[in-house]
Coordinates of all heavy atoms in Angstrom, one line a residue:
M97 N 36.3 37.6 68.0 CA 36.6 38.6 67.1 C 36.0 39.9 67.5 O 34.8 39.9 68.0 CB 36.2 38.3 65.6 CG 36.4 39.4 64.6 SD 36.2 38.9 63.0 CE 37.9 38.3 62.5
L98 N 36.6 41.0 67.4 CA 36.2 42.4 67.8 C 35.5 43.0 66.6 O 36.0 42.9 65.4 CB 37.4 43.2 68.3 CG 37.1 44.6 68.7 CD1 36.1 44.5 69.9 CD2 38.3 45.3 69.0
H99 N 34.4 43.7 66.8 CA 33.8 44.4 65.6 C 33.8 45.8 66.0 O 33.4 46.2 67.1 CB 32.2 43.9 65.5 CG 31.6 44.7 64.4 ND1 31.6 44.2 63.1 CD2 30.7 45.6 64.4 CE1 30.8 45.1 62.5 NE2 30.3 45.9 63.2
V100 N 34.2 46.7 65.1 CA 34.3 48.1 65.2 C 33.5 48.8 64.2 O 33.7 48.5 62.9 CB 35.8 48.6 65.3 CG1 35.8 50.2 65.5 CG2 36.4 48.0 66.6
D101 N 32.5 49.6 64.4 CA 32.0 50.5 63.4 C 32.7 51.9 63.1 O 33.0 52.5 64.1 CB 30.6 50.7 63.7 CG 29.6 49.5 63.7 OD1 29.9 48.7 62.7 OD2 28.8 49.4 64.6
L102 N 33.1 52.0 61.9 CA 33.8 53.3 61.6 C 33.0 54.0 60.4 O 32.6 53.4 59.5 CB 35.2 52.9 61.1 CG 36.2 52.1 62.0 CD1 37.5 51.8 61.4 CD2 36.5 53.1 63.4
T103 N 33.1 55.3 60.5 CA 32.7 56.1 59.4 C 33.8 56.0 58.3 O 34.7 55.6 58.5 CB 32.5 57.6 59.8 OG1 33.8 58.1 60.2 CG2 31.5 57.7 61.0
A104 N 33.4 56.4 57.2 CA 34.3 56.4 56.0 C 35.5 57.4 56.3 O 36.7 56.9 56.0 CB 33.6 56.8 54.7
E105 N 35.3 58.3 57.0 CA 36.4 59.3 57.3 C 37.4 58.6 58.4 O 38.6 58.7 58.2 CB 35.9 60.6 57.8 CG 37.0 61.6 58.2 CD 36.6 62.9 58.7 OE1 35.3 63.1 59.1 OE2 37.3 63.8 58.9
E106 N 36.8 58.1 59.5 CA 37.5 57.3 60.4 C 38.4 56.1 59.8 O 39.4 56.0 60.1 CB 36.6 56.8 61.5 CG 35.9 57.7 62.3 CD 34.9 57.4 63.2 OE1 34.2 56.2 63.0 OE2 34.5 58.0 64.1
K107 N 37.8 55.4 58.8 CA 38.4 54.3 58.2 C 39.6 54.8 57.3 O 40.6 54.3 57.6 CB 37.5 53.5 57.2 CG 38.0 52.5 56.6 CD 37.1 51.8 55.5 CE 37.8 50.9 54.6 NZ 36.9 50.4 53.5
D108 N 39.4 55.9 56.7 CA 40.5 56.6 55.8 C 41.7 57.0 56.7 O 42.8 56.8 56.5 CB 39.9 57.7 55.0 CG 39.0 57.4 53.9 OD1 39.0 56.1 53.5 OD2 38.4 58.1 53.4
V109 N 41.3 57.6 57.8 CA 42.3 58.1 58.9 C 43.0 56.9 59.4 O 44.3 57.0 59.4 CB 41.8 59.1 59.9 CG1 42.8 59.2 60.9 CG2 41.2 60.4 59.2
L110 N 42.4 55.9 59.9 CA 43.0 54.7 60.3 C 44.0 54.1 59.3 O 45.1 53.6 59.7 CB 41.9 53.7 60.8 CG 42.5 52.4 61.5 CD1 43.4 52.8 62.6 CD2 41.3 51.5 61.8
L111 N 43.5 53.8 58.2 CA 44.4 53.3 57.2 C 45.6 54.1 56.8 O 46.7 53.6 56.6 CB 43.5 53.2 55.9 CG 42.5 51.9 55.9 CD1 41.7 51.9 54.7 CD2 43.4 50.6 56.0
E112 N 45.4 55.4 56.8 CA 46.6 56.4 56.7 C 47.6 56.3 57.8 O 48.9 56.1 57.5 CB 46.1 57.8 56.5 CG 47.2 58.8 56.2 CD 46.7 60.2 56.1 OE1 45.5 60.4 55.8 OE2 47.5 61.1 56.3
V113 N 47.2 56.1 59.1 CA 48.0 56.0 60.1 C 48.7 54.6 60.0 O 49.9 54.4 60.2 CB 47.2 56.1 61.6 CG1 48.0 55.6 62.7 CG2 46.6 57.5 61.6
I114 N 47.9 53.6 59.7 CA 48.5 52.2 59.7 C 49.6 52.2 58.5 O 50.6 51.7 58.7 CB 47.5 51.1 59.4 CG1 46.7 51.0 60.6 CG2 48.1 49.9 58.9 CD1 45.3 50.1 60.3
E115 N 49.3 52.8 57.4 CA 50.3 52.7 56.3 C 51.6 53.6 56.6 O 52.7 53.1 56.4 CB 49.7 53.3 55.0 CG 50.4 53.0 53.8 CD 49.7 53.1 52.5 OE1 48.9 52.4 52.3 OE2 50.0 54.1 51.8
D116 N 51.3 54.7 57.3 CA 52.5 55.5 57.6 C 53.4 54.8 58.7 O 54.6 54.7 58.5 CB 52.0 56.8 58.3 CG 51.5 57.8 57.2 OD1 51.7 57.5 56.0 OD2 50.9 58.8 57.6
Y117 N 52.7 54.2 59.6 CA 53.5 53.5 60.7 C 54.1 52.3 60.2 O 55.3 52.1 60.6 CB 52.6 53.2 61.9 CG 53.3 52.7 63.1 CD1 54.2 53.4 63.8 CD2 53.2 51.4 63.4 CE1 55.0 53.0 64.9 CE2 53.9 50.8 64.6 CZ 54.9 51.7 65.3 OH 55.5 51.1 66.2
T118 N 53.6 51.5 59.3 CA 54.1 50.3 58.7 C 55.3 50.8 57.9 O 56.4 50.0 58.0 CB 53.1 49.7 57.8 OG1 52.0 49.4 58.6 CG2 53.5 48.4 57.2
S119 N 55.1 51.9 57.2 CA 56.5 52.3 56.5 C 57.6 52.6 57.4 O 58.8 52.3 57.2 CB 56.1 53.7 55.7 OG 57.1 54.1 55.0
E120 N 57.3 53.4 58.5 CA 58.3 53.7 59.6 C 58.9 52.4 60.2 O 60.0 52.3 60.6 CB 57.7 54.5 60.6 CG 57.4 55.9 60.1 CD 56.7 56.8 61.3 OE1 57.0 56.3 62.4 OE2 56.1 57.7 60.9
L121 N 58.1 51.3 60.3 CA 58.5 50.0 60.9 C 59.6 49.5 59.9 O 60.6 48.8 60.3 CB 57.3 49.0 61.1 CG 56.6 49.1 62.3 CD1 55.4 48.3 62.3 CD2 57.5 48.9 63.5
G122 N 59.3 49.7 58.5 CA 60.2 49.1 57.7 C 61.6 49.7 57.9 O 62.7 48.8 57.8
L123 N 61.7 50.9 58.1 CA 62.9 51.6 58.4 C 63.7 51.2 59.7 O 64.9 51.1 59.6 CB 62.7 53.3 58.3 CG 62.2 53.8 57.0 CD1 61.9 55.3 57.2 CD2 63.2 53.6 55.9
E124 N 62.7 51.1 60.7 CA 63.2 50.7 61.9 C 63.7 49.3 61.8 O 64.8 48.9 62.5 CB 62.1 50.7 62.9 CG 62.6 50.5 64.4 CD 63.4 51.6 64.9 OE1 63.3 52.8 64.5 OE2 64.3 51.4 65.7
I125 N 63.0 48.3 61.1 CA 63.6 46.9 61.0 C 64.9 46.9 60.4 O 65.8 46.3 60.8 CB 62.6 46.2 60.2 CG1 61.3 45.7 61.1 CG2 63.2 44.7 59.7 CD1 60.1 45.4 60.2
A126 N 65.2 47.8 59.3 CA 66.5 47.8 58.7 C 67.5 48.4 59.5 O 68.8 47.9 59.4 CB 66.2 48.7 57.4
D127 N 67.2 49.2 60.6 CA 68.2 49.9 61.4 C 68.4 49.0 62.7 O 69.4 49.4 63.3 CB 67.9 51.3 61.7 CG 68.0 52.2 60.5 OD1 68.8 51.8 59.6 OD2 67.5 53.4 60.6
T128 N 67.7 48.0 62.9 CA 67.8 47.3 64.2 C 68.7 46.1 64.1 O 68.7 45.3 63.2 CB 66.4 46.8 64.6 OG1 65.5 47.9 64.7 CG2 66.5 46.0 65.9
D129 N 69.7 46.1 64.9 CA 70.7 45.1 65.0 C 70.2 43.9 65.6 O 70.6 42.6 65.3 CB 72.0 45.5 65.5 CG 72.8 46.7 64.9 OD1 72.5 46.6 63.6 OD2 73.4 47.6 65.5
R130 N 69.4 44.0 66.8 CA 69.1 42.8 67.6 C 67.9 42.1 66.8 O 66.9 42.6 66.4 CB 68.6 43.3 68.9 CG 69.8 43.7 69.7 CD 69.1 44.1 71.2 NE 68.0 43.4 71.6 CZ 67.0 44.0 72.4 NH1 67.1 45.2 72.6 NH2 65.9 43.3 72.8
K131 N 68.2 40.8 66.6 CA 67.3 39.9 66.0 C 65.8 39.8 66.7 O 64.7 39.8 66.0 CB 67.8 38.5 65.9 CG 66.9 37.6 65.1 CD 67.5 36.2 64.8 CE 66.5 35.2 64.1 NZ 65.2 35.5 63.9
S132 N 65.9 39.7 68.0 CA 64.7 39.5 68.8 C 63.9 40.8 68.5 O 62.6 40.8 68.4 CB 65.0 39.4 70.2 OG 65.6 40.5 70.8
M133 N 64.4 42.0 68.4 CA 63.7 43.4 68.2 C 63.2 43.3 66.7 O 62.0 43.7 66.5 CB 64.6 44.5 68.5 CG 63.8 45.7 68.2 SD 62.4 46.0 69.2 CE 63.1 47.1 70.5
R134 N 64.1 43.0 65.8 CA 63.6 42.8 64.4 C 62.3 41.9 64.3 O 61.4 42.3 63.6 CB 64.8 42.4 63.5 CG 65.6 43.5 62.8 CD 66.4 42.9 61.7 NE 67.0 41.6 61.9 CZ 68.0 41.4 62.4 NH1 68.9 42.4 63.0 NH2 68.6 40.2 62.6
D135 N 62.5 40.7 64.9 CA 61.2 39.9 64.8 C 60.1 40.4 65.4 O 58.9 40.3 64.8 CB 61.6 38.6 65.5 CG 62.7 37.7 64.8 OD1 63.1 38.0 63.7 OD2 63.3 36.8 65.4
R136 N 60.2 41.2 66.5 CA 59.1 41.8 67.2 C 58.5 42.9 66.2 O 57.2 42.9 66.1 CB 59.4 42.4 68.6 CG 58.2 42.9 69.3 CD 58.6 43.4 70.7 NE 57.9 44.6 70.9 CZ 58.5 45.9 70.9 NH1 59.8 46.0 70.8 NH2 57.7 46.9 71.3
L137 N 59.4 43.8 65.6 CA 58.8 44.7 64.7 C 58.1 44.1 63.5 O 57.1 44.6 63.0 CB 60.0 45.6 64.3 CG 60.6 46.5 65.5 CD1 61.8 47.2 65.0 CD2 59.5 47.5 66.0
K138 N 58.8 43.0 62.9 CA 58.1 42.4 61.8 C 56.8 41.9 62.2 O 55.9 41.9 61.3 CB 59.1 41.2 61.3 CG 60.3 41.7 60.5 CD 61.1 40.6 60.2 CE 62.4 41.1 59.4 NZ 63.2 39.9 59.0
A139 N 56.6 41.2 63.4 CA 55.3 40.7 63.7 C 54.4 41.9 63.9 O 53.1 41.7 63.4 CB 55.5 40.0 65.1
Q140 N 54.6 42.9 64.5 CA 53.8 44.2 64.4 C 53.4 44.6 63.2 O 52.2 44.9 62.8 CB 54.4 45.3 65.2 CG 54.6 45.2 66.6 CD 55.3 46.4 67.3 OE1 55.5 47.4 66.6 NE2 55.4 46.3 68.7
R141 N 54.3 44.6 62.2 CA 54.1 45.0 60.8 C 53.0 44.1 60.1 O 52.1 44.5 59.4 CB 55.3 45.1 59.9 CG 55.2 45.6 58.5 CD 56.5 45.7 57.8 NE 57.1 44.4 57.6 CZ 58.4 44.3 57.1 NH1 58.9 45.4 56.7 NH2 58.8 43.1 57.1
E142 N 53.1 42.8 60.4 CA 52.2 41.7 59.8 C 50.9 41.9 60.4 O 49.8 42.0 59.7 CB 52.8 40.4 60.1 CG 51.9 39.4 59.5 CD 51.9 39.5 58.0 OE1 52.6 39.9 57.3 OE2 50.8 39.0 57.4
V143 N 50.7 42.2 61.7 CA 49.4 42.5 62.4 C 48.7 43.8 61.7 O 47.6 43.8 61.3 CB 49.5 42.8 63.9 CG1 48.2 43.2 64.5 CG2 50.0 41.4 64.5
L144 N 49.5 44.8 61.4 CA 49.1 45.9 60.8 C 48.5 45.8 59.4 O 47.5 46.2 59.0 CB 50.1 47.1 60.9 CG 50.3 47.7 62.3 CD1 51.5 48.6 62.3 CD2 49.1 48.4 62.9
R145 N 49.4 44.9 58.7 CA 48.9 44.5 57.4 C 47.7 43.8 57.4 O 46.7 44.0 56.6 CB 50.0 43.7 56.7 CG 51.2 44.4 56.2 CD 52.2 43.5 55.6 NE 53.3 44.2 55.1 CZ 54.5 43.8 55.0 NH1 54.7 42.5 55.1 NH2 55.5 44.4 54.5
K146 N 47.4 42.8 58.3 CA 46.1 42.1 58.5 C 45.0 43.0 58.8 O 43.9 42.8 58.2 CB 46.2 41.0 59.5 CG 47.1 39.9 59.2 CD 47.3 38.7 60.2 CE 48.2 37.7 59.6 NZ 48.2 36.7 60.7
I147 N 45.3 44.0 59.7 CA 44.2 45.0 59.9 C 43.8 45.8 58.6 O 42.6 46.0 58.3 CB 44.6 46.0 61.1 CG1 44.7 45.2 62.3 CG2 43.6 47.1 61.2 CD1 45.4 46.0 63.4
A148 N 44.9 46.2 57.8 CA 44.6 47.0 56.6 C 43.8 46.1 55.7 O 42.8 46.5 55.0 CB 45.9 47.6 56.1
D149 N 44.2 44.7 55.7 CA 43.5 43.9 54.7 C 42.0 43.7 55.1 O 41.1 43.7 54.2 CB 44.1 42.5 54.7 CG 45.4 42.5 53.9 OD1 45.7 43.4 53.2 OD2 46.1 41.5 54.0
S150 N 41.8 43.6 56.5 CA 40.4 43.4 56.7 C 39.5 44.7 56.5 O 38.3 44.6 56.5 CB 40.3 43.1 58.3 OG 40.6 44.1 59.2
L151 N 40.2 45.8 56.3 CA 39.4 47.2 56.1 C 39.4 47.4 54.6 O 39.0 48.3 54.1 CB 40.3 48.4 56.7 CG 40.1 48.4 58.2 CD1 41.0 49.4 58.7 CD2 38.7 48.6 58.6
G152 N 39.9 46.3 53.8 CA 39.8 46.3 52.3 C 41.0 47.1 51.6 O 40.6 47.6 50.6
H153 N 42.1 47.2 52.3 CA 43.2 47.9 51.8 C 44.4 47.0 51.9 O 44.8 46.7 53.2 CB 43.3 49.2 52.5 CG 44.5 50.1 52.0 ND1 44.4 50.8 51.0 CD2 45.7 50.3 52.7 CE1 45.6 51.5 50.8 NE2 46.4 51.1 51.8
S154 N 45.2 46.9 51.0 CA 46.4 46.2 51.1 C 47.6 47.0 51.0 O 47.5 48.1 50.4 CB 46.7 45.1 49.9 OG 46.8 45.7 48.8
I155 N 48.6 46.9 51.8 CA 49.8 47.7 52.0 C 50.9 47.1 51.0 O 51.2 46.0 51.0 CB 50.3 47.7 53.3 CG1 49.2 48.2 54.4 CG2 51.6 48.5 53.5 CD1 49.6 48.5 55.7
D156 N 51.3 48.0 50.1 CA 52.2 47.7 49.1 C 53.6 47.6 49.6 O 54.1 48.6 50.1 CB 52.1 48.8 47.9 CG 53.0 48.4 46.7 OD1 53.6 47.4 46.6 OD2 53.0 49.2 45.7
D157 N 54.2 46.4 49.6 CA 55.6 46.3 50.1 C 56.5 47.2 49.3 O 57.6 47.5 49.8 CB 56.1 44.8 49.9 CG 55.5 43.9 51.0 OD1 55.0 44.5 52.0 OD2 55.3 42.7 50.8
N158 N 56.3 47.4 48.1 CA 57.2 48.3 47.4 C 57.4 49.7 47.9 O 58.3 50.5 47.6 CB 56.8 48.4 45.9 CG 56.9 47.1 45.3 OD1 57.8 46.3 45.5 ND2 56.1 46.8 44.4
K159 N 56.2 50.2 48.7 CA 56.3 51.5 49.1 C 56.9 51.4 50.5 O 57.3 52.6 51.0 CB 54.9 52.0 49.3 CG 54.3 52.2 48.1 CD 52.8 52.5 48.2 CE 52.4 53.7 48.9 NZ 51.0 54.0 49.0
L160 N 57.4 50.3 51.1 CA 58.0 50.4 52.5 C 59.4 50.4 52.5 O 60.2 50.2 51.5 CB 57.6 48.9 53.1 CG 56.1 48.7 53.3 CD1 55.9 47.4 53.9 CD2 55.5 49.8 54.1

């Protein structure tokens, strides 16, 4: 497991980026016709959710 020390500001910025990108992934998943690409994007979204969870922040599916 990798350990990263972040300041509060760095953590906030990282979470904002993760949440914004995760939201964009939701739109991309909806517009993607190829199942293999959709699956890859969903896997990326899940990894980002896990990172956000490890930082003490859950991503609300209703916002996606």
Side-chain angles (χ1 to χ4, degrees):
M97 176 175 268
L98 178 67
H99 177 82
V100 178
D101 290 318
L102 300 173
T103 65
E105 181 181 15
E106 291 167 338
K107 178 184 170 186
D108 291 343
V109 169
L110 179 58
L111 285 170
E112 185 178 333
V113 169
I114 289 171
E115 193 162 287
D116 289 349
Y117 187 67
T118 301
S119 178
E120 290 177 24
L121 277 175
L123 297 172
E124 190 67 28
I125 290 166
D127 285 343
T128 301
D129 294 330
R130 286 182 31 220
K131 183 179 178 345
S132 61
M133 178 61 99
R134 263 195 325 274
D135 291 344
R136 187 174 140 253
L137 295 172
K138 287 179 182 180
Q140 286 181 359
R141 183 174 61 182
E142 186 58 30
V143 168
L144 291 171
R145 284 182 179 152
K146 288 179 182 180
I147 292 170
D149 285 344
S150 72
L151 294 170
H153 179 80
S154 66
I155 296 177
D156 184 3
D157 282 340
N158 296 326
K159 291 169 67 175
L160 301 181

